[in-house]
Amino acid sequence: MNPTEVETVPLSSAPRTESVAQVLERRRATRGTAQQEFTSDFSELMAKVKEAGLLARRPGWYLTRCLLLVLSYAVAFSMLFLIGESWWQMLTAVVFALVFTQTAYVAHDAAHRQIFTNGKVGEWFSTITGNLLVGLSYGWWMKKHNALHHANPNKIGKDGDIAPGGIVFVAEDALKLTGFAKWVAARQGWLFFPILTLAGVQLHVHSVQSIIKGQSSIKRRWIEGIFIAIRLIGFPILAIWAAGPLIGSVFIVVQLALFGLYMGGSFAPNHKGQPLVPKDVNIDFLRRQTLMSRNISGGRPMGFLMGGLNYQIEHHLFPSMPSVNLHKVQPIVREYCREKDIKYTETTLLESYGIIVRYLNRVGIGKADPFDCPVTAQFRSR
């Protein structure tokens, strides 16, 4: 499908002044129209997925993942204390970066209620794995990722993942920069991977700041604070104790850099370089989640490497679906998108990185205006 062929989606939001009777009357008036058709598209797809039984929990799968993580932590800490004061500890830093990222994947799944039917149990599991093991605030992540990003992928002013920071994703933001920041933005595509080495530090900092400020989405502020303090203070102390002040300090720097590179390198390919959605555009759920997302080919091996995030379209459509089932639902979603003439994007991992680098370089010099995108232009509010 050519992006210019995407159908115009009528607005579905009703004024708050409408009464219940008026809302019902408006719905009756739209029966048989394109508006109702777009609204029912996802319902039809959901019915197919439910019939296939792919939304059911997979406790055995997640138990296996958790046991493998426990084993991985045992190996990593054994390496840390057995190798001692040696530069071979840099290999241990690599292992910890991999283990922390894999733990973050499991915490991500739990936060989407993929693992537990009991919400309280899921919250505690995510709090422990996120704060105590990875050093990321569960409450902060729930707002940033679940509430904002999933609800508004690539929507300017809504999706925090495209908010300006070390990298700018919107041309208008790049045009506001001056001095050194402007120089960096003009080359940010080429600097993308070096900048990702700082992503781990950024995640830790944002988590701590949110806890200190008492962000409203953080329900257990003191518990999250204690857990994250144990992780962010205790782990460096253990590293320095085991490897000595110099090697231990370098170990922490390497671990943080590789953790950021792995995490950022797994999340970035999913949306970066896909169309941006202007603030005044409303798109139905199916197209909003599909058109702004990108899958990464490579099957289940890539799924292990990226924690299932390579099936990003399916994950955004069914966030509570166990990640192990995403490869099973992919053929259903892809065929359905073909039937509905909805663009379904899938590339290799290397191709996605190439797209990101070129896109960021264009944005950095103010040339990638999302309002000129033929996809989002079709959906502009009138």
Side-chain angles (χ1 to χ4, degrees), residues 7 30 32-42 287 340:
E7 306 92 337
T30 60
T33 66
Q35 179 174 344
Q36 186 190 49
E37 178 185 346
F38 285 133
T39 303
S40 64
D41 279 347
F42 180 70
R287 289 161 181 79
K340 296 295 180 179

Side-chain angles (χ1 to χ4, degrees), residues 278-305:
K279 296 177 182 179
D280 60 345
V281 169
N282 290 324
I283 306 175
D284 71 289
F285 181 80
L286 175 61
R287 289 161 181 79
R288 179 168 75 246
Q289 304 299 345
T290 303
L291 295 174
M292 313 312 158
S293 302
R294 178 193 300 116
N295 276 18
I296 303 300
S297 61
R300 300 195 68 181
M302 186 62 68
F304 172 78
L305 180 67

Side-chain angles (χ1 to χ4, degrees), residues 335-377:
E335 175 60 21
Y336 191 75
C337 286
R338 188 192 65 77
E339 293 174 1
K340 296 295 180 179
D341 199 22
I342 299 173
K343 183 176 175 62
Y344 183 101
T345 303
E346 183 173 43
T347 68
T348 67
L349 185 61
L350 291 180
E351 286 173 341
S352 74
Y353 288 147
I355 291 169
I356 293 170
V357 169
R358 292 190 295 272
Y359 170 76
L360 291 179
N361 279 335
R362 291 198 307 272
V363 168
I365 57 176
K367 288 189 175 180
D369 186 352
F371 292 86
D372 292 335
C373 172
V375 174
T376 55

